[in-house]
Amino acid sequence: MSLEMFTYPFLFIAIFFESFVLVTLLSSPARAARARRAGATTLSVAVIVPCWNEAATVAATCDSLLALDYPSDKLEVILVDDGSTDATPAAMSRFAGHPQVRIIHKENGGKHTALNAGIALTSAEIIGCLDADSFVEPGALREIVPCFADENVAAVTAAMSVHKPKNILQHMQNAEYLFGITFRHAFASVNGLYVTPGPFSFYRHAVIQEIGNFRSGHQTEDMEMALRIQQAGYKIENAPHARVYTKSPRTVSKLLAQRTRWTVGFLRNILGEYRGLIGSRAHGVLGMLVLPLALTAVASGILIFSLMLFEIVRNIITMFEVRAGIPLSYTLLPHSSFSWFYLPASFYLLLGVTILLASLSLIVVGKYISKTPGNLALGLISYTFLYGLIAPLWLLRATADVALGKHRRWRH
Amino acid sequence: MSLVTRNVLLALLITFALVGTIAYAVNYLNDARIAELGAIEDQISIDTLSLDTQFSLLEAAPCDIAASSTGLIGTLTDLGTRLAYAESQLGTDNPQVLRLKQQYSLLEIRDYLITKQLAAACGTKPVTVLYFYSNAGDCADCDKAGYALSYLHDTYPSLRVYSFDYNLDLGALKTFIAITKVEGPLPAFVINGKRSYGFTSLADLEKQFPKGALATTTDTTL
């Protein structure tokens, strides 16, 4: 039996996942969410910006918040310096006299403590978070607030993409983020979200008071809070037109560190405190479909990558063994004629190509839904050729960390 | 039925449709490959009849260069390459592949015999290699030997290489093996009637050839 056979169930599940996203996108709740107009509703809003050594970007982040199209008497910005050791306090001091901005300096305690310090300071009805390396479009908040019209909605996420991608790795991440916009929008329409990302997610203050403040959540406080909201039976919505841009890692090592943290956080939360959500009929799509699929995605990413690596290494060894002693002038040249007959259209390959084409289509859909500006060509190319090689690395590392109980230090 | 249940069922339907379409496309392509092999096989049958006619004509006419060239070896090589690829795609135990391999082996034996007859009639000395391999997992060096022979054939076009699956269930091949007295271990070679077994390196294989046999001349004489 070919090793490829082991991957067929996972490839089938991947096609099912993409088909489900597509069908859900075309269903009435998602259509209604896309048709939702930025409203005149103006609930009081406080946006907390937790900062730890963010001197380079915090001012621009704050400027983008102050430029939001929202009544100034209804919007406050809370900058929380979480014991930075760089020039972050000085960068914040520029906003010291601003009537909409409040600044907190506290001892370093972690991102969740910074968020909680901000929450303690405000009585706003809606509390937002914005990472200090992210920037919002002026109309974003007016897209977010109407989502809270449903009393059962406890949180709302935005449409996140990469801020000015420069190198090929950042373009790859931008494509991935656009894919995220698509499935976040689709899954929100059936209440299947399990993370409220740091860049511009909003929470109903009353719900936070009910279920409690942010926790460390294995260094993924946004995921832990989202899971807690779902566990409490509330909804997490998505505003697909609320555009927010975030800085992304520029090197593979930084990207691996970031994604390992996210994946470890996911695994530890899901397999730990929130294990009960998996397979829970009471939690609908999230319990029966999204979480099992997300866990399967981790396993399949590792399995398919490992098998692919094994096959490649085995083929290379065989190739060298078979060609040993034959002149390079012969071995380096192709010898079969170019003919359709030799088209390597195996079942495995065509399944892979189908999944890739569907992914690329959903990336384009994400850009279209959110109306995110920018050229996508480089993103699609880099996603095609790089993502499958890099993503399994963080999946492997995260799974190993969880299995071995290893804890890596992040920012503090 | 809830919206989610309906979406799950629709997604499953789409998934089965896509997977089914892919399976159909792969099967269609494999059938087309078989059909293509069949077409080449038909052409070779015509070539074989042509060979017989050529040989009859040679008995009544002086041997000359143009008439004594079979021209079949190139087509045989092409068919062999395609057959090997089809075998890798469809499996070594695919009935259609096995049938084509049997026909291919018969054509090889026929070409080999006619080549020998033409050589005797015309007094030429072609260099022929009978190569016996196995893909039953009992021949660790067969891939290396096959690649080395491909290199030799491509480098020395006058070389006539005939490859046979030692385990193929074909009466004519079993007789051929008995006549050539090849027993094992594999890979086995019969180079201009001289048997050798095993493969170590290209250089060692080249030493098995008659002196001066490996010349970079084109296939103009037999």
Side-chain angles (χ1 to χ4, degrees):
Chain A
M1 188 165 63
S2 164
L3 285 176
E4 286 176 5
M5 299 279 282
F6 290 106
T7 66
Y8 289 166
F10 294 103
L11 296 174
F12 183 90
I13 290 169
I15 294 178
F16 168 75
F17 167 78
E18 291 177 328
S19 303
F20 182 78
V21 170
L22 180 69
V23 171
T24 307
L25 275 178
L26 298 173
S27 300
S28 52
R31 289 205 309 270
R34 287 196 293 279
R36 190 171 45 220
R37 296 284 161 231
T41 320
T42 52
L43 300 169
S44 60
V45 175
V47 182
I48 303 166
V49 184
C51 305
W52 184 77
N53 291 351
E54 305 281 6
T57 53
V58 65
T61 300
C62 191
D63 280 336
S64 80
L65 285 172
L66 293 173
L68 280 169
D69 171 25
Y70 207 75
S72 57
D73 61 327
K74 296 278 189 176
L75 173 67
E76 64 176 325
V77 177
I78 303 173
L79 304 178
V80 185
D81 168 28
D82 188 29
S84 297
T85 54
D86 69 349
T88 299
M92 285 180 169
S93 64
R94 199 187 109 195
F95 302 95
H98 198 287
Q100 284 178 271
V101 179
R102 285 200 268 181
I103 299 172
I104 304 172
H105 296 284
K106 63 181 277 295
E107 279 188 14
N108 181 262
K111 187 177 171 184
H112 65 291
T113 63
L115 289 169
N116 292 338
I119 292 169
L121 204 67
T122 182
S123 57
E125 294 163 277
I126 306 298
I127 291 170
C129 300
L130 183 64
D131 288 345
D133 58 355
S134 305
F135 316 96
V136 295
E137 286 213 348
L141 189 51
R142 283 200 183 271
E143 298 283 350
I144 297 271
V145 171
C147 299
F148 284 101
D150 179 349
E151 286 295 322
N152 211 29
V153 169
V156 179
T157 65
M160 184 170 52
S161 55
V162 172
H163 181 255
K164 294 180 180 171
K166 288 188 174 62
N167 65 25
I168 201 77
L169 197 65
Q170 290 174 313
H171 279 285
M172 180 199 83
Q173 292 172 74
N174 191 41
E176 183 201 17
Y177 277 43
L178 291 170
F179 195 169
I181 289 175
T182 305
F183 74 72
R184 199 167 286 128
H185 167 55
F187 283 132
S189 71
V190 287
N191 196 28
L193 294 186
Y194 63 87
V195 62
T196 43
F200 223 48
S201 286
F202 286 76
Y203 305 87
R204 197 184 292 278
H205 198 163
V207 173
I208 289 183
Q209 285 171 331
E210 178 192 328
I211 65 175
N213 279 352
F214 281 93
R215 301 172 188 163
S216 168
H218 306 285
Q219 298 182 331
T220 46
E221 74 297 324
D222 47 3
M223 192 177 294
E224 194 279 334
M225 177 58 90
L227 288 168
R228 200 152 21 114
I229 287 170
Q230 288 283 12
Q231 197 174 47
Y234 288 103
K235 287 185 195 170
I236 299 175
E237 254 290 3
N238 171 258
H241 308 311
R243 289 185 293 279
V244 55
Y245 308 96
T246 188
K247 294 271 188 189
S248 65
R250 283 188 295 183
T251 63
V252 173
S253 62
K254 285 181 179 171
L255 178 65
L256 286 183
Q258 180 196 56
R259 298 312 176 88
T260 300
R261 178 173 63 82
W262 291 0
T263 312
V264 165
F266 166 73
L267 291 174
R268 287 198 169 127
N269 279 310
I270 290 299
L271 301 176
E273 190 178 350
Y274 298 99
R275 185 185 293 190
L277 290 176
I278 303 171
S280 162
R281 290 177 69 90
H283 292 92
V285 170
L286 182 81
M288 297 299 291
L289 203 69
V290 177
L291 293 179
L293 280 178
L295 280 171
T296 307
V298 175
S300 68
I302 292 171
L303 178 78
I304 292 173
F305 178 75
S306 304
L307 287 178
M308 192 177 71
L309 198 65
F310 175 76
E311 287 284 345
I312 289 171
V313 170
R314 190 172 67 172
N315 287 340
I316 288 174
I317 291 172
T318 305
M319 192 182 76
F320 275 105
E321 280 181 354
V322 167
R323 285 161 175 72
I326 310 292
L328 281 178
S329 57
Y330 181 80
T331 57
L332 296 179
L333 291 175
H335 295 289
S336 56
S337 54
F338 291 100
S339 160
W340 67 267
F341 189 88
Y342 298 109
L343 197 66
S346 67
F347 189 60
Y348 175 72
L349 185 74
L350 288 182
L351 281 177
V353 168
T354 304
I355 292 165
L356 176 66
L357 288 177
S359 301
L360 297 180
S361 305
L362 293 175
I363 289 169
V364 174
V365 167
K367 179 175 165 60
Y368 174 78
I369 288 173
S370 60
K371 297 184 175 62
T372 300
N375 191 335
L376 192 51
L378 270 177
L380 295 176
I381 293 169
S382 53
Y383 185 89
T384 300
F385 294 104
L386 284 182
Y387 193 76
L389 298 175
I390 297 176
L393 299 180
W394 71 66
L395 296 179
L396 271 168
R397 195 157 80 152
T399 307
D401 281 3
V402 172
L404 301 172
K406 184 174 181 178
H407 291 267
R408 292 176 194 271
R409 184 181 166 78
W410 181 45
R411 55 184 271 177
H412 238 259
Chain B
M1 187 187 296
S2 75
L3 176 84
V4 172
T5 308
R6 190 203 66 176
N7 286 359
V8 166
L9 291 176
L10 277 173
L12 275 175
L13 197 68
I14 292 170
T15 308
F16 278 116
L18 280 172
V19 173
T21 305
I22 290 168
Y24 176 80
V26 171
N27 193 48
Y28 181 85
L29 195 65
N30 285 337
D31 285 348
R33 281 195 183 104
I34 294 284
E36 177 77 359
L37 288 174
I40 296 171
E41 181 191 326
D42 290 344
Q43 183 58 49
I44 288 185
S45 297
I46 294 168
D47 286 346
T48 310
L49 282 173
S50 173
L51 271 184
D52 289 342
T53 311
Q54 262 184 305
F55 188 69
S56 300
L57 288 172
L58 278 173
E59 288 177 341
C63 230
D64 66 51
I65 289 169
S68 62
S69 173
T70 69
L72 188 57
I73 193 72
T75 320
L76 271 173
T77 305
D78 182 46
L79 178 65
T81 310
R82 286 171 187 257
L83 195 51
Y85 186 77
E87 194 175 19
S88 70
Q89 293 292 307
L90 303 171
T92 52
D93 53 353
N94 182 286
Q96 287 171 295
V97 169
L98 280 174
R99 189 177 56 77
L100 281 170
K101 270 180 83 171
Q102 289 171 334
Q103 290 180 338
Y104 172 71
S105 298
L106 280 176
L107 290 169
E108 282 196 304
I109 295 170
R110 192 170 185 80
D111 187 71
Y112 171 72
L113 294 175
I114 290 175
T115 297
K116 273 186 74 175
Q117 286 174 310
L118 282 171
C122 302
T124 55
K125 293 178 180 173
V127 180
T128 57
V129 180
L130 305 179
Y131 164 52
F132 296 91
Y133 67 92
S134 166
N135 48 23
D138 54 352
C139 179
D141 294 326
C142 279
D143 285 344
K144 296 179 203 172
Y147 193 77
L149 281 173
S150 296
Y151 162 73
L152 289 175
H153 177 260
D154 289 349
T155 311
Y156 309 106
S158 60
L159 200 61
R160 302 183 79 94
V161 179
Y162 301 96
S163 306
F164 299 98
D165 184 344
Y166 192 81
N167 301 313
L168 192 66
D169 187 17
L170 179 67
L173 179 59
K174 290 185 188 305
T175 306
F176 190 60
I177 290 170
I179 289 170
T180 51
K181 296 186 175 66
V182 171
E183 289 170 350
L186 299 176
F189 307 90
V190 181
I191 301 171
N192 276 11
K194 187 183 167 190
R195 286 181 298 279
S196 63
Y197 298 96
F199 177 84
T200 49
S201 68
L202 174 66
D204 286 344
L205 181 63
E206 283 178 332
K207 286 177 191 164
Q208 308 291 326
F209 284 82
K211 202 171 182 183
L214 297 176
T216 53
T217 53
T218 54
D219 189 15
T220 54
T221 58
L222 281 171

